[in-house]
Amino acid sequence: MESPAEPPSPPPRALMAPATILERCTTGIAGLDDILGGGIPRGNMVLVAGSVGTGKTTLCLEFLVRGAERGERSLFLSVTEASEKLIQNLSTFEFFRADLVSDGSLVFVDLPMLYDKLGLEHEEMTADEIDILIRTIHDLVETLGVKRLVLDSLTSVCYRIRRDEAIRDFMLRLGQTLNDLGCTSLLVSEIGPTQGRYSMHGVEEAIVDGVVLLWNTRRSGDILRVLQVVKMRGTAHSRAQYVIELTPIGLLMAPHLKGGHPEGA
Amino acid sequence: MPPADIGERLRSLPGGSAVALKLDAREYADHYFAVLNATLRDVGSEANAHVIYITVTNPASFVWSLAQALDVPPDRISFVDVISHIMMNYSNPLPNATYIETPRALEEIMLRVDYLLRKFPHPRSIVVVDSLNALAIHNPRELLSEFFHIFLTNLKSRNVLNLILLTSDEEAGGLEQMLSLLVDETIDVGR
């Protein structure tokens, strides 16, 4: 008697491959996509945390320029610096293309001007004003078809929200709104050099999908800029430390050498 | 290997190779010039070649003056100068050089080489490290081993030809041993 035919075996999967691979938003930043397993999962809201002079804004701007080049409309919401000045600084990089701004692929909006326009005048935002702000960001993203957004900085916005519960609520709603619209976002978080957490209030990092930490470290008195992906939902990622350099062609990364010292040489 | 034969040997090496060039300390000046001749003129003049020369022993301006004497065209060579800053000899930067503040910033060396490889893509890229001994003055052994392991492995995978200068002396024994694990070949200059 013939034995029944063996059922076909499933195709082999790569060792340790996840069951489902989420769509990625390729950052276009050399090295970063490699350590993120191909990019940021599309729709994720990521905190880019670091003290002054660590390269947060430049990383975010390159993320937007690379996206705009790929046909993904990109929006920079600036709280701390005027757009004009940002574009001026950006033009010193070879990766920047002025035509991306003129054709509307890369959009800059000054949030303080938006506050004025919306009549958000209280030093501490009321629940209604927070609601207006979220709805305005939603409308901007939806109307323009924005696929990448940067808020620089979240810290400045949170200064006007103040209460931890309200910040948590604002971030949960913002994250949901952007995710629903398939928009991947980077939120800049300004922290002190020795703060020991990733945001001013400490609640922000719990809400976001990812945390990219930037800081300065010293080797025999010399300063090195270091980047580490601390958290990124939806992807396996490197947790190693990388030294970064902001070059005219964009951000470059190299492994942070330890020289036998676990915390770095 | 006789100094006159080094150029031809290096020209025959495929991309992705790593070779240590061992200079005899007693005949350093002659051997150094022979190696510069071989790396900058013989290999650097190959079609579509571009040399990234990492200077730790001497400032880029010094190596560049020797290269000019050898008629090396400026568009064939870029320098990563790791010594001028620390010597406070940085007032007249070369247009084809990038400067690193200290030889202790080994990651910066990797990043600048990465930058130059991306900025000037050539089918035949050559990276010269001048020299292992000079880097060892400023860096502990473990750090240097880690640096060379990552640096050379990365460049080999990018099909870059890597040439590392090393001067043999009593102190250099351990360095030589470390390097021998990472390179494909050691060429004894003059022997």
Side-chain angles (χ1 to χ4, degrees):
Chain A
M1 196 170 94
E2 273 185 28
S3 60
E6 291 274 327
S9 55
R13 265 200 308 131
L15 219 58
M16 302 287 286
T20 309
I21 296 173
L22 301 176
E23 190 196 339
R24 299 306 164 101
C25 171
T26 308
T27 67
I29 297 170
L32 188 57
D33 290 318
D34 294 329
I35 67 171
L36 287 172
I40 300 169
R42 174 93 47 205
N44 267 13
M45 187 164 75
V46 178
L47 205 62
V48 178
S51 55
V52 289
T54 50
K56 302 182 296 294
T57 301
T58 309
L59 182 150
C60 290
L61 285 168
E62 187 178 352
F63 168 73
L64 294 187
V65 171
R66 303 290 185 200
E69 275 178 336
R70 286 161 196 263
E72 295 181 13
R73 182 162 280 170
S74 301
L75 172 65
F76 192 98
L77 289 175
S78 178
V79 187
T80 45
E81 225 172 325
S83 298
E84 211 170 279
K85 198 174 163 198
L86 276 167
I87 294 169
Q88 202 178 351
N89 292 337
L90 195 52
S91 64
T92 62
F93 289 96
E94 288 173 31
F95 64 79
F96 175 64
R97 283 173 35 198
D99 62 302
L100 295 173
V101 179
S102 53
D103 72 11
S105 305
L106 179 56
V107 182
F108 288 82
V109 171
D110 290 328
L111 216 50
M113 286 168 74
L114 205 61
Y115 288 158
D116 285 346
K117 216 171 170 181
L118 297 169
L120 308 180
E121 57 196 16
H122 294 99
E123 219 166 277
E124 182 177 350
M125 279 192 216
T126 62
D128 284 347
E129 286 178 327
I130 294 169
D131 194 49
I132 291 170
L133 182 60
I134 291 171
R135 271 195 285 118
T136 305
I137 293 172
H138 170 274
D139 292 349
L140 264 175
V141 171
E142 191 177 48
T143 310
L144 296 174
V146 171
K147 289 295 161 204
R148 297 184 186 213
L149 178 143
V150 166
L151 174 59
D152 188 1
S153 67
L154 173 68
T155 313
S156 301
V157 174
C158 289
Y159 269 131
R160 294 190 57 176
I161 300 179
R162 295 188 184 175
R163 286 174 301 110
D164 286 359
E165 302 79 38
I167 291 170
R168 185 180 286 115
D169 183 55
F170 166 73
M171 293 197 60
L172 279 170
R173 289 172 60 198
L174 182 66
Q176 190 60 57
T177 295
L178 296 175
N179 185 270
D180 289 347
L181 295 168
C183 178
T184 310
S185 56
L186 302 184
L187 311 182
V188 173
S189 172
E190 296 155 7
I191 52 174
T194 55
Q195 205 156 312
R197 59 188 187 189
Y198 308 120
S199 62
M200 197 61 82
H201 295 265
V203 295
E204 297 92 317
E205 58 258 38
I207 309 293
V208 291
D209 302 298
V211 176
V212 176
L213 182 63
L214 295 155
W215 73 97
N216 290 319
T217 190
R218 288 180 184 274
R219 177 178 298 149
S220 309
D222 304 312
I223 293 175
L224 299 170
R225 279 188 177 124
V226 181
L227 177 151
Q228 187 172 31
V229 178
V230 176
K231 160 183 170 180
M232 190 64 69
R233 286 181 187 136
T235 181
H237 63 87
S238 163
R239 287 180 173 77
Q241 297 175 358
Y242 297 85
V243 173
I244 61 164
E245 170 117 348
L246 309 173
T247 77
I249 58 169
L251 189 143
L252 296 177
M253 300 169 60
H256 185 201
L257 302 175
K258 301 290 194 290
H261 302 278
E263 292 307 315
Chain B
M1 182 177 286
D5 296 345
I6 297 169
E8 199 181 326
R9 174 73 191 116
L10 297 183
R11 283 168 70 107
S12 71
L13 292 169
S17 306
V19 170
L21 292 159
K22 196 163 107 185
L23 288 68
D24 191 327
R26 291 164 300 183
E27 294 178 72
Y28 180 77
D30 286 348
H31 285 181
Y32 188 63
F33 193 73
V35 165
L36 281 184
N37 196 18
T39 53
L40 298 183
R41 197 181 64 179
D42 296 341
V43 184
S45 65
E46 286 180 82
N48 297 315
H50 185 246
V51 176
I52 298 171
Y53 199 101
I54 303 166
T55 59
V56 195
T57 311
N58 295 298
S61 55
F62 174 79
V63 181
W64 177 231
S65 64
L66 294 178
Q68 282 176 305
L70 294 168
D71 289 329
V72 177
D75 60 341
R76 286 298 180 95
I77 181 167
S78 299
F79 290 97
V80 178
D81 183 317
V82 191
I83 196 68
S84 290
H85 252 296
I86 209 166
M87 287 168 58
M88 300 179 75
N89 180 19
Y90 180 57
S91 51
N92 294 308
L94 293 175
N96 56 342
T98 173
Y99 294 82
I100 292 177
E101 288 186 27
T102 161
R104 288 184 292 271
L106 295 170
E107 292 94 337
E108 292 280 341
I109 298 176
M110 291 195 239
L111 289 163
R112 297 297 170 90
V113 170
D114 185 16
Y115 167 69
L116 291 169
L117 288 171
R118 289 171 191 269
K119 173 100 177 149
F120 305 111
H122 283 79
R124 178 82 160 154
S125 293
I126 301 113
V127 169
V128 181
V129 181
D130 177 7
S131 65
L132 174 61
N133 307 66
L135 279 176
I137 293 169
H138 302 275
N139 293 285
R141 182 69 52 86
E142 273 186 319
L143 196 64
L144 208 54
S145 302
E146 189 183 0
F147 165 70
F148 270 103
H149 182 216
I150 294 170
F151 188 54
L152 292 180
T153 307
N154 178 276
L155 293 178
K156 282 169 140 187
S157 72
R158 295 166 78 170
N159 212 34
V160 174
L161 171 60
N162 305 282
L163 307 171
I164 300 107
L165 276 61
L166 161 76
T167 305
S168 66
D169 58 26
E170 286 175 11
E171 295 291 310
L175 291 173
E176 210 179 313
Q177 200 178 10
M178 176 270 284
L179 195 61
S180 69
L181 298 170
L182 301 171
V183 296
D184 307 305
E185 181 183 352
T186 298
I187 294 175
D188 270 308
V189 179
R191 289 194 188 169

